[in-house]
Amino acid sequence: MSTESRPNDRRLALFPLPFQGHINPMLQLANILHAKGFKITIIHTVFNSPNQSNYPQFTFKSISDGLSESKNINFNLDTTNPVVNFMNRSCIEPFKDCLLRLLKEEPIACLITDALWHFTQSVADSLNLPRIVLRTSSMSCILVYAAIPILNENGYLKTTIQEDPIPDLAPITNKDILKVFNDEFKEGKLELISSMIKNTKAASGIIWNTFKELEESAFSVISQDFCVPNFPIGPFHKYFPAYSSSLLEQDRSFMSWLDQQPDRSVVYVSFGSIAQMDEVGFTDMAWGLANSKQRFLWVVRPGSVSGSEWLESLPEGFIEEVGERGCIVKWAPQQEVLAHRAVGVFWTHNGWNSTLESICEGVPMICSPYSYDQPINARYVTDVWRVGVMLDNGMETARVIKRVIEDKEGGEMRERSKSLQEKVNLSLGKGGSANQSLENLVDYILTL
Ligand code: UDP
């Protein structure tokens, strides 16, 4: 992709939210802007700090996040939401002090912070620094989030499940909205979302890890409703891959197994860096894969099954049943796997990075969203872009897998997915919309 450099001596300070799905796009963006000639400082929390040795071209500054000192926060990956709320308070002073120290050394042209770091807007204002937001999910998602106070007032967050699309938010249903709040921290999530929206609208601009052609209608609504410049310059991983920002070590030992499989025959299964499942869900997944009789590569992240370190909950007889047909790993080089000719379908939780990575490789999806933005992404995948199928509770997993791998329906999804892949490439190419947006972003930062 074209990231021609225009020399300038402007320094940018970037502040990623410390979770894999947020660190990857922020560090990719840092690389993109560095290639455009900017000097980059990454401010990061002690918790989940990025691997600095992979980025000798950047300066890193660590700040205290208060997590290790706090006795009130019971942290596990299922409590991401209270942790983010907590850090939005505990990082205020350390972040401000860090910026003051940096400003003594040299001017900062602009701050770029994750949208979920909503406290950074008032810090930026107090120091007279422009703040541009990086939103790491889709445009469609933020429109749904922005409607949540009204949905709440109108009773859509109550527990009656309706499958019909919500007026003005089609194709989103109240079932999807209930899944967004699929945990015990609804109040905290409402607070986080509304602070995020308010402080995103107050920013000097928004950078999106998406491209206009994928979200044409959301883009036009956002251009009207969010009165700040918008820069949809994604997908970022097409400029720079994510492996260097991986917090977990990627296993590549299965690559020779993958090389031996026929074209489009393998189900790649991964539910990202945060989602956790219970033992029953894990056992159901295992039997679904075994009964489908298809080949599979399954990422089981250590700690992702409640109460297990890794594979202790695999049902008895499973390994013997699947034999050479299946491969289980702790963490994979996902983009490389999705680009492999042997992969036929991605069974995913529909984190936005995973969704984009699948679209970019023309791989159809089986969607099993958990929470956050995932139900919204999954609804767009199945009902708007029509490059995947939903796998809901009660459906027969083996049948759904076969539908995508073997049936005509799967072939049609693959065709549509390939055409989205072409649109991505056009958008990123010279004169394409993402390419132009990136040029606009660089010009805009130079005027700040
Ligand atoms: N990922 C990876 N190896 C794996 C599974 C995931 O490198 O085995 C990467 C994936 O490519 C993506 C990120 O982890 O860039 C997950 O982000 P996503 O937004 O999909 O989900 P989250 O982890 O935030 O739920």
Side-chain angles (χ1 to χ4, degrees):
M1 298 304 137
S2 158
T3 48
E4 246 167 69
S5 167
R6 276 185 267 160
N8 74 75
D9 60 355
R10 301 293 188 93
R11 180 164 293 280
L12 307 176
L14 278 62
F15 185 32
L17 195 78
F19 295 98
Q20 189 72 74
H22 294 254
I23 292 173
N24 286 356
M26 187 63 92
L27 287 174
Q28 286 156 351
L29 176 65
N31 265 328
I32 294 168
L33 293 171
H34 184 261
K36 288 289 181 191
F38 291 98
K39 293 191 280 181
I40 303 288
T41 296
I42 305 285
I43 303 175
H44 63 90
T45 55
V46 175
F47 169 64
N48 273 351
S49 57
N51 185 349
Q52 302 184 18
S53 59
N54 288 336
Y55 300 95
Q57 70 277 35
F58 304 155
T59 306
F60 285 84
K61 298 285 174 195
S62 158
I63 62 165
S64 150
D65 46 51
L67 281 177
S68 50
E69 297 90 343
S70 169
K71 293 186 177 56
N72 298 328
I73 191 117
N74 173 17
F75 180 66
N76 66 52
L77 285 175
D78 231 5
T79 59
T80 317
N81 188 44
V83 168
V84 175
N85 280 336
F86 174 85
M87 288 192 297
N88 264 290
R89 293 187 291 273
S90 65
C91 290
I92 298 174
E93 289 309 318
F95 182 69
K96 192 168 178 178
D97 290 348
C98 178
L99 284 176
L100 284 169
R101 277 197 303 276
L102 287 173
L103 286 166
K104 277 191 190 143
E105 290 166 19
E106 71 178 306
I108 295 172
C110 151
L111 269 178
I112 301 181
T113 69
D114 194 290
L116 287 173
W117 281 135
H118 52 77
F119 81 89
T120 58
Q121 186 60 45
S122 55
V123 173
D125 289 343
S126 73
L127 298 176
N128 241 338
L129 277 174
R131 169 191 180 231
I132 296 183
V133 162
L134 166 63
R135 181 61 190 145
T136 58
S137 192
S138 65
M139 291 184 160
S140 313
C141 168
I142 213 164
L143 290 180
V144 176
Y145 279 5
I148 277 175
I150 294 172
L151 294 175
N152 196 17
E153 271 172 35
N154 294 341
Y156 279 104
L157 305 196
K158 302 246 167 68
T159 45
T160 37
I161 292 181
Q162 293 153 21
E163 305 250 8
D164 299 334
I166 298 171
D168 296 335
L169 282 184
I172 302 300
T173 66
N174 113 297
K175 187 175 172 186
D176 303 324
I177 300 291
L178 290 176
K179 270 197 184 165
V180 170
F181 291 95
N182 186 17
D183 56 37
E184 54 199 291
F185 304 108
K186 188 171 133 194
E187 288 313 316
K189 209 177 254 183
L190 279 171
E191 177 197 319
L192 180 61
I193 288 175
S194 83
S195 302
M196 185 267 277
I197 302 270
K198 182 172 150 233
N199 288 292
T200 296
K201 286 184 171 173
S204 301
I206 314 173
I207 301 171
W208 301 90
N209 188 13
T210 187
F211 61 106
K212 204 173 138 207
E213 290 77 2
L214 186 66
E215 302 198 81
E216 205 79 65
S217 64
F219 178 73
S220 50
V221 178
I222 281 171
S223 305
Q224 283 180 358
D225 288 7
F226 287 61
C227 302
V228 293
N230 286 288
F231 304 99
I233 64 169
F236 300 172
H237 74 274
K238 294 289 286 181
Y239 303 80
F240 292 96
Y243 59 81
S244 42
S245 53
S246 192
L247 295 169
L248 295 172
E249 198 184 326
Q250 295 181 333
D251 184 351
R252 304 182 50 84
S253 60
F254 61 86
M255 277 297 186
S256 54
W257 173 85
L258 195 57
D259 288 342
Q260 287 161 24
Q261 310 309 317
D263 287 0
R264 296 190 301 277
S265 67
V266 173
V267 185
Y268 170 60
V269 191
S270 168
F271 287 180
S273 63
I274 293 176
Q276 278 189 315
M277 65 185 79
D278 58 21
E279 212 177 299
V280 176
F282 182 66
T283 310
D284 285 351
M285 269 185 91
W287 283 129
L289 287 166
N291 294 338
S292 74
K293 309 284 181 218
Q294 305 292 336
R295 297 169 172 84
F296 63 86
L297 169 63
W298 186 7
V299 175
V300 181
R301 204 184 66 245
S304 61
V305 185
S306 323
S308 295
E309 292 212 350
W310 192 36
L311 298 179
E312 304 89 288
S313 313
L314 266 188
E316 222 170 282
F318 173 81
I319 297 285
E320 296 73 17
E321 168 72 27
V322 300
E324 290 291 298
R325 204 158 37 77
C327 204
I328 302 182
V329 295
K330 291 183 175 166
W331 195 246
Q334 179 161 301
Q335 290 166 28
E336 209 177 319
V337 169
L338 287 169
H340 198 285
R341 51 143 200 92
V343 171
V345 58
F346 182 13
W347 184 4
T348 170
H349 71 313
N350 286 111
W352 184 241
N353 295 292
S354 295
T355 304
L356 274 181
E357 286 159 12
S358 205
I359 286 175
C360 287
E361 300 306 335
V363 176
M365 287 168 255
I366 294 173
C367 305
S368 295
Y370 278 62
S371 179
Y372 302 97
D373 59 336
Q374 301 150 20
I376 302 163
N377 303 335
R379 184 62 64 195
Y380 272 79
V381 166
T382 58
D383 291 26
V384 178
W385 306 315
R386 295 168 57 226
V387 293
V389 285
M390 201 73 85
L391 174 52
D392 272 330
N393 285 344
M395 284 184 177
E396 198 196 325
T397 306
R399 175 72 208 104
V400 173
I401 293 176
K402 274 193 182 150
R403 255 171 77 193
V404 187
I405 286 271
E406 287 180 351
D407 293 0
K408 188 168 161 242
E409 194 188 352
E412 288 165 358
M413 281 180 224
R414 198 161 294 112
E415 289 295 308
R416 285 190 285 270
S417 208
K418 290 280 173 209
S419 106
L420 279 183
Q421 186 185 24
E422 280 164 25
K423 282 188 181 169
V424 177
N425 292 336
L426 280 176
S427 177
L428 290 163
K430 212 164 177 60
S433 76
N435 184 274
Q436 190 51 52
S437 245
L438 176 57
E439 294 308 317
N440 296 346
L441 172 66
V442 172
D443 291 343
Y444 182 65
I445 296 175
L446 292 175
T447 65
L448 289 172

